[in-house]
Amino acid sequence: MTTVVERLRGDRPVFSVEFFPPRDAADEAVLWRSIRELEAFDPAYMSITYGAGGSSRDGTIRSIARVATETTLVPMAHLTAVNHSVAELRNVIGWYAAVGVRNVLALRGDPPGDPYGEWVPHPEGLNYAEELVTLVRSLGDFCVGVSAFPYGHPRSPDLDTDTTYLVRKLRAGADFAIAQLFFEAEDFLRLRDRVAGAGCDALLIPGVMPLTTPRTLHKTIELSGASAPDRLLRRLEPLAGDPRAFRAEGLDVVTELCERLIAEGVPDLHFYTFNRSKATRELVTRLGLLPARA
């Protein structure tokens, strides 16, 4: 099975995509239509998230197994430590290995129901993402990723402390980090500079949300943990009542962001799809990231 790192070793930027596990049969049909539509665009890899407290664990495993066995895509499975004992985590990692998945995004995870709530570890579980990285690496030949926070994790007192913990995760055995959502290319580039300044040359990948509706803008603000810049709000908020105009301007905003990131040498743009493919396909086409055969 090809690894994420191997897929990013080329001489041109690529893209990857993220989905979430389906809740029912209708959701599953939507998910698989999007997967098939994006498969033709040859993303470097694709990932499926893992619900808080393992709420979507079975759906993640089932979907990732199907990707591994029925598509040409390189799958990456998410894994969190929330509400899991070490024994349960070992079991999930074993399931991933059994279905042929060798790429894992290792996350501590957020407290169920409140991402900013108090972290309560499982009494037989793990406290930190770096411990999960170590566990995954100890159980097989996995390529492991972690999360990074351009504005700092909500529980980090400052950016220097946040950088220290990110570097610890990477040095625990992670091969790369995917940055959570941000608004300006400079926000990601400053994160990259902080990590390099700490003496770590690990691969950093920007996470990107296509801004197609006011909901996706609000979700980006929520997930970033930061206030949106006035410049962005002035472009998009006046268009909230015009879906077509909002979508067009939102995709222009994201295209400009991605073009700057590519110019700064990022190897991969990781798109959060909301289990839809159209906006990502449009952006990939605009940015010239299509494979030769697409």
Side-chain angles (χ1 to χ4, degrees), residues 7 24 33 40 45 81 92 100 143 145 148 177 237 271:
R7 289 286 283 166
D24 52 35
R33 182 168 62 248
Y45 60 94
V92 175
C143 177
E237 285 190 333
F271 289 105

Side-chain angles (χ1 to χ4, degrees), residues 14-226:
V14 294
F15 78 100
S16 53
V17 289
E18 182 167 309
F19 302 94
F20 55 81
R23 293 166 295 186
D24 52 35
D27 276 356
E28 187 153 10
V30 170
L31 167 66
W32 277 92
R33 182 168 62 248
S34 296
I35 287 175
R36 291 301 186 185
E37 288 169 348
L38 283 164
E39 183 179 11
F41 285 67
D42 191 30
Y45 60 94
M46 63 83 68
S47 69
I48 296 181
T49 62
Y50 192 93
S55 60
S56 59
R57 179 184 67 181
D58 292 344
T60 299
I61 293 174
R62 182 178 67 253
S63 297
I64 278 287
R66 188 175 170 190
V67 169
T69 57
E70 297 183 19
T71 78
T72 61
L73 296 165
V74 174
M76 177 176 72
H78 290 215
L79 180 63
T80 80
V82 179
N83 287 347
H84 283 341
S85 68
V86 170
E88 289 169 333
L89 290 168
R90 286 176 174 270
N91 183 57
V92 175
I93 296 165
W95 269 107
Y96 287 155
V99 299
V101 173
R102 287 295 182 271
N103 301 289
V104 175
L105 190 68
L107 312 164
R108 191 200 69 175
D110 297 322
D114 181 5
Y116 301 105
E118 187 68 28
W119 167 254
V120 179
H122 187 285
E124 298 173 0
L126 304 175
N127 274 300
Y128 302 107
E130 67 178 282
E131 296 174 318
L132 184 55
V133 171
T134 300
L135 178 64
V136 174
R137 292 302 295 264
S138 73
L139 295 176
D141 185 21
F142 291 97
C143 177
V144 182
V146 294
S147 61
F149 300 86
Y151 307 118
H153 189 277
R155 293 198 169 277
S156 293
D158 52 60
L159 288 177
D160 287 342
T161 302
D162 191 77
T163 302
T164 297
Y165 280 109
L166 172 56
V167 170
R168 282 176 55 170
K169 291 191 291 187
L170 292 164
R171 289 178 174 161
D175 299 281
F176 62 94
I178 298 177
Q180 298 293 306
L181 290 167
F182 53 92
F183 301 105
E184 307 274 9
E186 286 73 15
D187 299 331
F188 173 80
L189 298 174
R190 282 191 287 267
L191 167 67
R192 194 172 69 176
D193 289 344
R194 289 195 299 272
V195 172
C200 181
D201 62 356
L203 188 63
L204 296 185
I205 297 166
V208 180
M209 176 85 81
L211 295 176
T212 55
T213 64
R215 175 175 175 250
T216 56
L217 173 60
H218 296 151
K219 195 66 176 176
T220 298
I221 295 170
E222 174 191 340
L223 294 176
S224 72

